[in-house]
Amino acid sequence: MTRRRLVLLLLAIAALAATVPVVLAATPNHILPSQRVDAKVLLLSADGTEPGFAAWKYELTREGVPFDAVTAYTGASKTTTLTDATLADYGANHARYDAVILASGDLGHTITNADATTSYLSALTDAEWAALARFERTFGIRQLSDYTAPSPAHGLTVAPGATQDGQTGTLTEAGKAAFPYLKGPIPIPNDDPSPTSSEAFGYPGTPTDPANWQTLVSAPGGAAYLGIYTHPDDGREEMVMTVASNENQSHAQLLRHGMLNWVTRGVFVGFQRNYLELQVDDLFLGDDAWDPATHTTNYDPAGASRMSPGDVTQAVAWSKAHNIRIDFAYNGGGSELWKADNNTTTDPLVTAIVANKASFGFINHTYDHPNMDCSSASYITKEITDNVAWANAHGLPIDPTEVVTGEHSGLANARPGNPGTIDPPGIDDVVATSGAVPPSTTTPPSTTTPGVPTGTYDYAVTAKSAAGESTASVTPNVAVGEAGTEGNTVVVSFDAVCHAITYNVYRSTAGTNTWTLVGSVPRGANDPTDNGTAPLSLTVTDNQAAPPTA
């Protein structure tokens, strides 16, 4: 029975294996001092389509490990053949690789036969498997077989496969030693709960001879998800993984570094780094606060949610207690706005931050945090450089070459599908004038201009794009006119926003939440939102007594 036979015929092998006498544990091969082994990994694929092939290329690249990725087939044609010369220079006792990783244990590949039927065979010939075995046996090279169907060839009895989505693997004592950076269980994500779909198919296996097998990660019920098989006939060591995975799945991400470390005997070019970075967004800016009593957003700057000096003290204590530095993405313009709103020349939050600046890191987040996707180059530059200048003036340690733009905007807006739903325009001002009705400049036009009736109103502005209409910015309680006054007008000023094609202004009698459209302004989706010095402000004049209901 050869490796080229149909995988399904392994059932017959299992039946024969029952008659084979038990073999005592084999002694693993080792690399001899006289042998030269290159620090490079050989990654083998049947045809380049296995999820594990892409996942291992990602892992090796991420850690900086040199490797050759070899596919046996391209389409229906065999394009690569393994030979003794491919793997080693036997005359010079020189191995060209220090590890072998198989994207799947048997490198199964579907081929079309002459009679148009298909067969699932190994992508390697018997001669190629023999060359690989000789190479590993001669130089003590380990093999890692990813996503492998259990069979006696891999030290496991044949077992049926099933989805493993949502299951949990458990590290054995040997597994804890092989993966010392892991402390808990190995959950397999349930990426798609549909009963007809599986993201992590697998074949939990049972060893044919426990003396030659060591389980590292056990499946529910005690079968093996991952283990090491020492071939009893020649001492070759093979790590066998029975569950599929791709580079985005957590069980692969948890295990792959330890698997790489094992297959290379812990000696490889490259290294692994894991980063935990805590970035607190929008330092010095205030956020409009939600009022739980009225179930509305409070747009009053005095009620904004903003970090306090006491929060700074707590952040310093937490950082020291956990030995984790907090990095602040800061907006210097937020401090200047706070001082203007509070009619003061000092900002206690800035004072507290500067006093504790050695405890934190700081990242340029632009001066005002605008969306800059439609901005001019001069305006983008100014937002970045003004924030650098502000940090320098206040003695904050920064890297002037580092920036995170607000909403990641101003970066060519290259993500496919952008823009999505856009932000509402910010209202700059709402000015009511009594007794003067200018010509109508809004859409829909008014044939007569009797003016806005005396009263108190809420005004709202939205923007529309191809993705739909944004939420509204609202200015409440605008008093219009005096008793008996006629011909009132209200001018609403607001900022242009990126990708908007229409701006709508609405009016509601204060507190009623019954909105009517009083005017619209059309614009091009790619028109700039600024001119390099200040946001471009637009206006709509409301001079209608009874606009149509929105």
Side-chain angles (χ1 to χ4, degrees):
M1 192 65 66
T2 70
R3 296 289 291 275
R4 297 185 62 204
R5 298 299 183 104
L6 290 169
V7 172
L8 294 178
L9 293 182
L10 290 172
L11 291 168
I13 298 178
L16 292 174
T19 63
V20 178
V22 175
V23 180
L24 296 177
T27 301
N29 283 330
H30 295 284
I31 300 174
L32 301 177
S34 60
Q35 294 174 324
R36 174 187 169 189
V37 177
D38 291 351
K40 180 183 283 190
V41 172
L42 175 62
L43 175 60
L44 293 176
S45 165
D47 56 11
T49 64
E50 308 96 328
F53 186 52
W56 275 109
K57 286 195 292 184
Y58 174 83
E59 166 66 17
L60 295 168
T61 301
R62 187 179 73 86
E63 297 207 26
V65 179
F67 68 97
D68 285 339
V70 176
T71 56
Y73 274 82
T74 301
S77 302
K78 187 165 177 60
T79 53
T80 303
T81 301
L82 291 183
T83 65
D84 287 343
T86 302
L87 301 169
D89 181 346
Y90 284 91
N93 212 13
H94 172 203
R96 305 191 194 282
Y97 302 99
D98 66 344
V100 176
I101 298 176
L102 276 57
S104 63
D106 296 292
L107 294 181
H109 175 68
T110 300
I111 64 171
T112 302
N113 303 314
D115 59 358
T117 61
T118 59
S119 298
Y120 189 69
L121 304 178
S122 171
L124 298 188
T125 65
D126 290 346
E128 289 176 296
W129 283 115
L132 190 62
R134 181 193 178 196
F135 169 69
E136 294 171 356
R137 180 173 59 250
T138 301
F139 294 96
I141 304 301
R142 287 173 168 175
Q143 176 179 307
L144 194 162
S145 299
D146 203 356
Y147 188 31
T148 300
S151 74
H154 302 287
L156 299 169
T157 59
V158 174
T163 177
Q164 302 301 309
D165 290 1
Q167 298 296 326
T168 299
T170 302
L171 289 172
T172 64
E173 289 303 313
K176 293 176 182 178
F179 303 94
Y181 56 90
L182 297 178
K183 295 182 178 180
I186 311 297
I188 299 174
N190 190 9
D191 293 330
D192 187 350
S194 168
T196 61
S197 178
S198 174
E199 292 293 324
F201 201 83
Y203 305 81
T206 302
T208 56
D209 183 354
N212 300 322
W213 175 271
Q214 186 177 53
T215 299
L216 302 179
V217 179
S218 61
Y225 277 147
L226 178 69
I228 299 170
Y229 176 49
T230 302
H231 288 248
D233 54 345
D234 58 10
R236 287 180 295 124
E237 293 179 285
E238 178 186 9
M239 178 176 279
V240 181
M241 178 64 165
T242 65
V243 182
S245 61
N246 60 51
E247 65 269 28
N248 299 311
Q249 292 179 303
S250 58
H251 61 294
Q253 295 169 346
L254 291 171
L255 294 170
R256 283 227 159 85
H257 174 71
M259 295 166 76
L260 173 64
N261 190 66
W262 178 87
V263 77
T264 60
R265 297 185 180 273
V267 180
F268 59 91
V269 176
F271 53 89
Q272 170 167 269
R273 286 179 175 175
N274 292 302
Y275 296 94
L276 173 63
E277 188 172 11
L278 299 181
Q279 294 184 3
V280 178
D281 208 25
D282 304 346
L283 178 66
F284 304 125
L285 281 176
D287 290 328
D288 295 325
W290 176 257
D291 188 331
T294 62
H295 300 286
T296 59
T297 300
N298 182 1
Y299 293 97
D300 185 352
S305 176
R306 188 172 186 261
M307 195 173 181
S308 69
D311 294 330
V312 176
T313 300
Q314 291 187 7
V316 171
W318 184 93
S319 180
K320 290 181 178 179
H322 294 83
N323 197 29
I324 297 175
R325 191 185 78 174
I326 297 173
D327 290 345
F328 286 107
Y330 74 96
N331 308 97
S335 176
E336 303 308 311
L337 178 63
W338 186 89
K339 289 189 293 184
D341 288 340
N342 290 273
N343 194 27
T344 180
T345 59
T346 60
D347 182 352
L349 175 57
V350 171
T351 302
I353 286 291
V354 171
N356 294 280
K357 62 186 179 182
S359 298
F360 306 116
F362 300 93
I363 304 167
N364 187 351
H365 199 39
T366 72
Y367 190 69
D368 297 304
H369 200 295
N371 184 305
M372 303 186 298
D373 281 342
C374 290
S375 299
S376 62
S378 59
Y379 180 74
I380 294 173
T381 300
K382 190 173 188 300
E383 276 290 323
I384 295 171
T385 57
D386 281 359
N387 213 35
V388 171
W390 189 93
N392 291 338
H394 291 81
L396 294 184
I398 64 166
D399 180 351
T401 67
E402 182 179 69
V403 64
V404 176
T405 60
E407 303 176 58
H408 300 281
S409 60
L411 304 176
N413 198 30
R415 189 175 69 182
N418 269 6
T421 302
I422 57 179
D423 291 334
I427 298 178
D428 290 333
D429 207 356
V430 179
V431 178
T433 304
S434 300
V437 181
S440 176
T441 59
T442 63
T443 302
S446 176
T447 56
T448 61
T449 56
V452 180
T454 299
T456 304
Y457 301 94
D458 300 335
Y459 278 87
V461 180
T462 66
K464 296 182 71 175
S465 72
E469 189 168 12
S470 74
T471 56
S473 293
V474 179
T475 295
N477 302 320
V478 178
V480 178
E482 300 175 355
T485 302
E486 295 182 356
N488 301 311
T489 63
V490 177
V491 178
V492 181
S493 303
F494 49 91
D495 296 338
V497 295
C498 191
H499 304 305
I501 56 178
T502 306
Y503 299 87
N504 291 332
V505 175
Y506 299 90
R507 183 179 81 202
S508 171
T509 300
T512 65
N513 204 34
T514 302
W515 298 97
T516 55
L517 179 68
V518 299
S520 299
V521 176
R523 277 176 59 83
N526 295 318
D527 286 350
T529 60
D530 57 76
N531 59 10
T533 58
L536 179 61
S537 185
L538 305 174
T539 62
V540 165
T541 299
D542 177 18
N543 52 20
Q544 302 183 58
T549 301

